[in-house]
Every structure is written in structure tokens, then in C-alpha cells.
Amino acid sequence: MSAPVDVSAALVAKSMAVSRWSAPAALVILAALGFAVPLWLRSSFYLGLANQGLILGVLALAAGFLMHQCRMVIFGVAAFYGAPAYLFAIASLNWSWSPNAAALFAILGTMLASLAMGFAIVRAKPLAFAMLTLAIGQMLRQLVLITGLRPITGGEDGLNIVFNGAFLGLSQSALATPARFWPVAWTVVCAVVLMVFVATRSRFGRILRATRDNEERMRFSGYDTFAPRLAAFALASFIATLGGLLQVLNSSFASPELLDFSLAGNVLVSALIGGGASVVGPIVGGVAFTLGLDQFAASGHLELFTGVAIVIVIAALPDGVEGIVARLARRRGGGDAQN
Amino acid sequence: MIAVQIANALALASLLTLLASGLALIYGLRDIMNFGHGAFYMIGAYIGHSVAARTNFWLAVIAAPAALALLGVVFEYLVLRPLRHRGAIDVALVTFGLSLIVQQVIVYLYGGASLSVSAPASLSGSASLWGATYPTYRLFLIFVGIGGCLLLTAWLRWTRVGMYVRAASQRPEVARMMGVNTNRLGLLVVCLSTASAGLAGVLAGPYLSVDPSMGGTILISCLIIVVIGGVGSIGGAVAASVLFGFIQVIGAVLLPGIAVLTPYMLLIVVLIWRPGGLGGGRLE
């Protein structure tokens, strides 16, 4: 009687083994092919849009990771977008640092600040967390607009950055050229996708999801629920910071608009378009959203597009953010849901 | 001088109380964080501007809350009811999206420039406040703010419906089992919340400016207040509004350069000291 069961179990195991390796293999091939995009996408306008899409995708990946793994929504994602830009600008303009040093400073500075904030806010309930991050983003926006800091932050006008040398061998004008910038953005995209891929499939990811589903049970089972969530927040901050850094390397401009909280709408919609299913989804969502946004840019109704997109995307996903998770869990036969 | 600053703090707190208590009320009863609250406030201000420009200010004070209460019914049936089985974050996102749409519609209808509303003749002068002259309109705001708080407290504490609201916010299932119609209660609370946002909007007209970014700006303040007050607590929201008003005004006097940052510092200090906020977290 047991033989058929064993055979089917073996088949399941085999098919799982195939599916387990087919996804990473596809990702590796995709990553390699991605570098060739400038070869066939000749229009520098659309390549520039695609670059913007990748940057939005990186932010969406960070927000989506935290949303799906921890049910924590970063409404103030703009803070991670604007802070590295300003730090990079200040290090370049006021201290005449080289772009490499300034970039490192931007990442470390933003990460230190976000870790300090993380200590205070990852304990908060989901909605309170969302609002706290929103408040932090808004605080930064107010900070750069303070009249007294105008010599440093440039106030409403923002800061036009002049690079002191080359960033990893690329000059400022090269970084502003879509075809030259693409490999940089694509490398970052591949790296962060890999980071999230590994994080969600590790023991760390399982702890996060178990904590998300029932924190009390995890604590009761002897797990520390604070450190993993702080680590998840730090990872998301790091990824979003890389997105902000890409932005400033490409545009060499830091302005208060980067810190506008409506950015959260774009990022979260991109993450939702991508869904919780894959680590690639938010990147695709970011590119798709940027292309959609471009259609509205001419008419000057960017925020209208964001608003309509949010409502439609949420209405079109009948079970919502949490529903995607549940459906995925069912599709995987009730096993350990990856997302 | 000190009396004037205290009055300034209270005037700002009055406006914020009207908004934050409505936000806390919906959250306490329905677990909905309405990111569109600032949009309702803005719609109230623009309706107030239109009505006040054509007729008079007092009619606007009645018309804007009434219109917003009706809008609350629409909001309840078209947005909140269809989304009632969804997570809190989904609802928050949809209300956020709707507020972006409303803002664009307002820009389309009224333009992006800042508009002014003049206070009615009876309130446009100034009164004597322990030797200092003070705008009558702000005293009126303080009066409305304190009156609103007292009315809300009395309603929650001493009326049958208020008791139902408190009960449903603590144990919705038990309240339903005991025969409380929580659907009707939910509708009532949403209307009350949007109407008070509308009232705040029309009252803000002569006090602050009327422009398309007013909703977003005040929403952030209200969210800070609700978090400081302990999410969902009315008493906490009122206390936090007053605290917020005072911190803002004191900041403007003592640290004029960085006054805009003081609310955020307050938020951080309160959360480090008391992670759950000041209130108990439920309507009381």
C-alpha cells in the first residue's frame, strides 16, 4: 500500500527540485541578458525612462519585501530616496569629496540614521509604523526647507551637484547618459534582487513570516522577534538607499521633491503591481509604472495617475496585499510560503 | 504676551482637535486609518470658500459640514463597505489614492493658487486679552474647539448611541450580539468624522490659507497627533492636539529657525518614552 505513496512523494520531490532550480537559473539568464538592453533599446528617451523605472523598482522591491515579509508598510519611503541624494550632494559640494567617497558616505549616513530610527519604530503596530515612517520622511523634507539651512541644502531650489572626479570610472556626463547608466542600474537591480531572493528563502525569511503571522506565538516559542524585524528593516532601508543613490548619480541633483510623500504612492503601487509572488515583480512593476506615468507627464497630472493607479490596483486585487500571500501559500500546497 | 501665545496655541489646538478626534473616532470603531481625512478637510475649506464668497460665512459654517456628512455617506457606501473585509493597510492606501485624486480635482476646479476667506464682520475685529489685543476670530476658534470637545465627550459618555459606540469599539462582536447595529453605527461615525473635518476646513479659511496642499500638510499633523495620543483614543487625541499646539507655538517663539521640526521631535520623544502613545488605545 505504501509503494504508490512513495512514488508520488518522490515525484513531488523531483518536481519541487526542478522548480527549485529553474527559477534561479531563469533569473541568472535574465540578469545576463539585461546588460544587453541598451543594444536593442536605442531610443535614449525610453532607455532613460527604463532607468527611472529600475530605480523605482529598487524602491518597490524594498517596500514590497517589508510589506510581504513583515506586513510593515514604509509610507515614508521618500526619506530613503532623498537622504542619500542630499548626503551625496553635501559631501561633494561642501567637502569636495570624490564621488566614490561621497557615495559611501551617503549609504553609511542613511543606514546609520535608519538603524537608529528602526530601534524606535519596528516595535510599532503596522499602522503606527506606516505613519511613523511617513512622519520621518516629512521631517526630512521640512529639514531641508529650513531657511537657516539654505546655504547647505539649497532650500526649494535644491542642489545641483558637480562631481569631483569619476564614480567607479564613470564621469558625471557618462552617468547622465542613459546607455552608460543602464549597466550601473542593472548591476544594482541584480544585486538587490539576489539579496531579497536569498533573504526570503533563508531561515531568516521563515522567522520573519512566522513573526508576521503570529508574533505572540513566536515569542512564546522562544524566538526573538525584535532583532529579525530590525534586520529586515535595515535590509529594506539599505536597498531603498541604493535606489536613492542611483537616482542622484543619474540626475546629479538633490531637491525637496525627492522627499515628497506622494512618492510612497508610486512605490507601493509598483510593489503591488509586482505582487508578492516573485522578487522580480516589483522591478517589473516599477518599470511598468514609470512608463504609465510618462503617458500622464505631458498633461501634468502625475498625482492623478498615482491616485487612480492605487485605487485600481487595490480594487483589481480582490484579496489585497495579504490575499496575494494567502493565495501563494495555497498554490504551494500549503507548504512553507516563500512570500 | 504670554496670554497671546497661550491663545495662539489653543486656537491651533482647536482646529487640530476637530480633525484628530474624527480620525481617532473612525480608527477606534472601525480600525480604519483614513488617509483621506486631509482631503475632506480641504473639500470643506473649498466649499466654505465658495459659499462664503456668494452668501455669507455663517451659511458656509452650516453648509460645509452638511455637505461633508453627505460625502461621508458616499464614502461609506462606495469605499469603506466594499473594502470592509480587506486589511487596514489596503484601506489606508485606497484613501491615500483618493486623496491624491481629490487634490487634482480641486486644482482643476479652483486652480492651484492660494485663496483667502474673510472672517464675518462680527469676528473680524480684535478683542482685549489681559491688556493685549487679540483677533476675535481666534477666540471664536478656541470657543468652537472647547465646545466641540465637550459635546463629543458628552455624546460618548451620556447618550445611548455614545455608549453603543464605546461598546462597539471595545468588543464589536459582543456589541453586535447584544443587538447593537454596528453597520448603522459605523455610518454615523464616518459621517460625524467627515462633517467635523468639513467644519475644521471652513473654520480654517479665515485662519490659515485655502490651497490645494492644505490637506496633505494638516493630515501629517493629525497623524502625528493620533499616534502621540495613542491610536484610536479620543481623550489622547484631544490631549495630544493641545500638546501639539503648545509645542508648535513655543517652538516658534524659542526656536524660530527649526520650529517646523518640533512636532516630529515631540513624536519621537513621546514614542521613546511611551511606545503606545498617551491614551489607552480605545474609545473612552
Side-chain angles (χ1 to χ4, degrees), chain A residues 110-123:
Chain A
T110 313
M111 284 309 295
L112 262 176
S114 65
L115 271 180
M117 290 318 304
F119 264 104
I121 67 176
V122 294
R123 279 179 222 272

Side-chain angles (χ1 to χ4, degrees), chain A residues 73 75 127 131-132 134-135 138-139 142-143 146 261 265 268 301 303-304 306-308 310 314 317-318 320-322, chain B residues 27 33 35 86-90 93-94 96-98 100-101 103-104 220 223 227 257-258 260-261 264 267-268 271:
Chain A
V73 177
F75 251 107
L127 264 170
M131 287 183 282
L132 282 168
L134 179 63
Q138 208 59 18
M139 177 163 82
Q142 300 285 2
L143 182 71
I146 285 180
F261 83 94
L268 292 172
H301 292 108
E303 295 201 336
L304 187 65
T306 305
V308 172
I310 294 175
I314 295 204
L317 303 170
V321 183
E322 287 112 41
Chain B
Y27 184 78
M33 185 45 75
F35 276 69
R86 310 283 287 263
I89 294 294
D90 281 15
L93 272 174
V94 166
F96 174 67
L98 287 173
L100 290 179
I101 297 174
Q103 191 182 355
Q104 294 302 309
I220 307 278
L223 292 177
V227 173
I258 57 163
V260 285
L261 297 183
Y264 306 101
L267 175 68
I268 290 163
L271 280 170

Side-chain angles (χ1 to χ4, degrees), chain A residues 26 85 96 104 126 128 140 142 160 163 171 186 188 212 221-222 228-229 246 252 262 270 281 289 293 301 306 336 339:
Chain A
S96 306
L104 198 62
L140 281 184
Q142 300 285 2
N160 226 332
F163 290 17
S171 69
W186 188 254
V188 171
R212 171 197 70 193
S221 312
R229 288 210 291 184
L246 279 181
S252 53
S262 64
S270 304
F289 190 87
L293 211 53
H301 292 108
T306 305
D336 176 32
N339 262 292

